[in-house]
Amino acid sequence: MKLKVIIHKAEEGGFWAEVPAIPGCVTQGDNFEELLKNLYDAVEGCLSIDLKDVQLEPQDEILEIAV
């Protein structure tokens, strides 16, 4: 999966970024390398769900895919 990310220079220094395809998915970093690491963590967190909150029927299955 490829996502477009908008990177902004923060007024106080460093960077912050947003992922328009995932509403509310934003992060920051003191430098570009930290921002990039934080972006991967933010996207993973924004796309993760807690299965204990999902109602499954006995015939339902969970499948994990990589995109």
Side-chain angles (χ1 to χ4, degrees):
M1 171 187 290
K2 291 184 179 182
L3 295 169
K4 294 198 185 308
V5 175
I6 301 172
I7 298 173
H8 307 273
K9 288 188 178 179
E11 290 181 17
E12 62 279 358
F15 301 91
W16 70 278
E18 57 186 315
V19 184
I22 307 173
C25 190
V26 298
T27 192
Q28 62 84 37
D30 291 333
N31 55 55
F32 189 80
E33 292 77 20
E34 182 180 30
L35 176 70
L36 188 58
K37 179 202 172 295
N38 291 346
L39 271 168
Y40 283 101
D41 292 343
V43 168
E44 181 179 354
C46 289
L47 295 178
S48 296
I49 62 164
D50 190 350
L51 289 178
K52 71 178 183 183
D53 298 329
V54 177
Q55 298 286 36
L56 297 174
E57 299 296 325
Q59 69 275 11
D60 295 338
E61 294 183 42
I62 298 171
L63 176 66
E64 186 173 311
I65 63 170
V67 294

